[in-house]
Amino acid sequence: MRIEPLNKPINHEFSELSSDKSISHRCAIFSLLSDQKSIIKNYLEAEDTLNSLKIIESLGAIVEKKGNTYEITPPSSISSPNRVLECGNSGTAMRIFMGFLAGNEGFFVLSGDRYLNERPMKRVGDPLTKVGAKIDGRENGNKAPIAIRGSKLKHFEYESKIASAQVKTALILAGLCANGCRFSEPELSRDHSEKMLQGMGANIKIDGLNLVIEPLNGKKLKPLELTVPNDPSSCFFYAVAAAIIPGSKVKIKNILLNKTRIEAFKVLEKMGAKISYQTTSSQYEEIGDICVEHGELNAIEVSQNISWLIDEAPALAIAFACANGTSRLINAKELRVKECDRIAVTVAALKRCGIEARELEDGFEITGSKSPKMATIDSHGDHRIAMSFAILGLKCGMDIEKSEFIATSFPKFSQFLKELGARVED
């Protein structure tokens, strides 16, 4: 992908951008907990989320597309497929399916592309194994392909040492499908799963950072019926674009406003961008509009609520690179084990653009520049790295290698860049 500099302000309103990836994955998987048809509108049609639909079909579900709506009819029971369940590039899908399948009778194998199969899975595999799940894979179960011998797990209690929505969701599903569980985490991670499952009728008690999950014991949950809102993580790229290009303004409608999902917007606001929020509806989650206007950005240190903005860290690095002074992101060691080592790759790419940047063990330090340079960036197959540097390319131009991986989460990304007036060669 090649992006030419955009020599004019952005002034655009988005009603449709990219449907929420996290909620789309969960819609596919959670539909299997019901005995009735789930109706999902605006499901994200990206490679990773479409793979989740293929997986549930392999497990016995019937998936039908009617216009902008997916109808998912769950099977009466989960069947062992005669094929490998392909997760593509999605760590979210692989880890959540691990928890769901561990508590269901059968034999299952999860795999992905060459990048996903190098990512660590023990963060989910270890807690599941400790509570009785039978899981194996390369490097003693740390890397896919992952083999799961599902069974009726005993009641368990688990105290997570990390704040991870993927770990939490996997353990919640294992408890629901087996004999219940108690789960706690050190700080609140993204909480879509418990909200959606409660809305479906699951008996989940929330007490601060502690969850008590009662088993289904054969009971089926209510089906899902929802319209998937726009994804804050995907929309954030355009928020950064407005914040760094003088005179710019974007309004993003129908966006998820869950507090654990808009922390990056809050950071951008503290840096000097002008941001307003308006709630318009509530369907399992608060949904509304976000308006972002350019403002002179100033350096910031980000050290709290990291799990709430971990996916937006590469895009935040672009905001840091355009701010006055030196910004720091710390307590974000999780970035080392994403689609790539996002700390090392982000810092290396910024240096190629003439930006002063330094790796920290658990984050990065970036000194802003008024004149970043055009460069050729290796995305290392990471969709968020590719999209982040495309946004910087609106200021200085950019060539991005392996940009095809953007399609795993945001197939229409370059189309929307063109709507802003950018010259993009895919």
Side-chain angles (χ1 to χ4, degrees), residues 175-235:
L176 281 173
C177 295
N179 284 295
C181 67
R182 290 176 178 268
F183 177 88
S184 64
E185 56 186 348
E187 64 180 47
L188 181 65
S189 61
R190 293 175 173 179
D191 57 358
H192 310 306
S193 295
E194 48 267 50
K195 287 185 175 182
M196 291 177 68
L197 290 167
Q198 281 180 325
M200 295 174 71
N203 190 350
I204 300 176
K205 297 182 177 67
I206 303 173
D207 180 15
L209 301 176
N210 303 296
L211 303 178
V212 177
I213 296 93
E214 296 294 332
L216 294 178
N217 287 330
K219 172 189 171 186
K220 296 294 185 177
L221 299 181
K222 293 181 290 186
L224 287 162
E225 186 169 347
L226 61 79
T227 299
V228 180
N230 280 321
D231 188 329
S233 299
S234 296
C235 296

Side-chain angles (χ1 to χ4, degrees), residues 236 240 263-265 267-268 271 302 309 312-321 329 364 366 388:
F236 188 65
V240 171
E263 184 70 8
F265 288 87
V267 170
L268 199 60
M271 293 179 71
V302 181
L309 53 72
E312 293 84 356
L316 270 177
I318 302 306
F320 291 176
L329 173 72
F364 41 65
I366 299 167
S388 296

Side-chain angles (χ1 to χ4, degrees), residues 87-269:
C87 300
N89 190 246
S90 177
T92 297
M94 182 170 285
R95 290 172 179 137
I96 294 179
F97 271 115
M98 285 172 68
F100 174 75
L101 296 172
N104 279 277
E105 297 284 346
F107 177 73
F108 314 93
V109 178
L110 295 164
S111 189
D113 66 16
R114 65 189 181 97
Y115 293 100
L116 178 58
N117 283 3
E118 291 303 318
R119 294 178 64 183
M121 292 296 143
K122 278 203 167 189
R123 62 177 49 211
V124 171
D126 276 355
L128 288 170
T129 300
K130 287 177 182 176
V131 301
K134 299 179 179 66
I135 298 175
D136 202 1
R138 295 187 302 122
E139 295 186 8
N140 295 317
N142 189 40
K143 292 183 178 179
I146 297 289
I148 301 166
R149 177 71 67 179
S151 61
K152 190 76 170 177
L153 305 176
K154 296 178 181 178
H155 181 275
F156 61 87
E157 296 186 5
Y158 188 76
E159 182 180 344
S160 179
K161 303 300 182 186
I162 59 172
S164 166
Q166 294 174 358
V167 173
K168 177 167 61 176
T169 303
L171 272 290
I172 289 174
L173 290 176
L176 281 173
C177 295
N179 284 295
C181 67
R182 290 176 178 268
F183 177 88
S184 64
E185 56 186 348
E187 64 180 47
L188 181 65
S189 61
R190 293 175 173 179
D191 57 358
H192 310 306
S193 295
E194 48 267 50
K195 287 185 175 182
M196 291 177 68
L197 290 167
Q198 281 180 325
M200 295 174 71
N203 190 350
I204 300 176
K205 297 182 177 67
I206 303 173
D207 180 15
L209 301 176
N210 303 296
L211 303 178
V212 177
I213 296 93
E214 296 294 332
L216 294 178
N217 287 330
K219 172 189 171 186
K220 296 294 185 177
L221 299 181
K222 293 181 290 186
L224 287 162
E225 186 169 347
L226 61 79
T227 299
V228 180
N230 280 321
D231 188 329
S233 299
S234 296
C235 296
F236 188 65
F237 296 108
Y238 298 97
V240 171
I244 65 175
I245 297 176
S248 295
K249 178 180 179 180
V250 297
K251 184 175 185 179
I252 305 164
K253 305 185 75 174
N254 189 41
I255 189 171
L256 187 64
L257 295 180
N258 182 306
K259 71 176 183 179
T260 67
R261 291 297 303 278
I262 59 170
E263 184 70 8
F265 288 87
K266 298 292 185 181
V267 170
L268 199 60
E269 187 177 3

Side-chain angles (χ1 to χ4, degrees), residues 10 19 61 67 72 86 189 212 223 247 285 296 312 324 348-349 380-381:
I10 296 168
S19 304
I72 303 172
E86 294 288 349
S189 61
V212 177
E285 301 267 10
E296 186 170 3
E312 293 84 356
N324 300 316
H380 291 262

Side-chain angles (χ1 to χ4, degrees), residues 256-301:
L256 187 64
L257 295 180
N258 182 306
K259 71 176 183 179
T260 67
R261 291 297 303 278
I262 59 170
E263 184 70 8
F265 288 87
K266 298 292 185 181
V267 170
L268 199 60
E269 187 177 3
K270 290 176 183 175
M271 293 179 71
K274 301 168 186 175
I275 303 182
S276 61
Y277 313 83
Q278 181 183 7
T279 301
T280 56
S281 66
S282 179
Q283 187 185 27
Y284 299 98
E285 301 267 10
E286 275 197 0
I287 297 166
D289 302 338
I290 297 181
C291 185
V292 182
E293 293 186 62
H294 172 265
E296 186 170 3
L297 300 183
N298 294 301
I300 193 171
E301 177 166 313

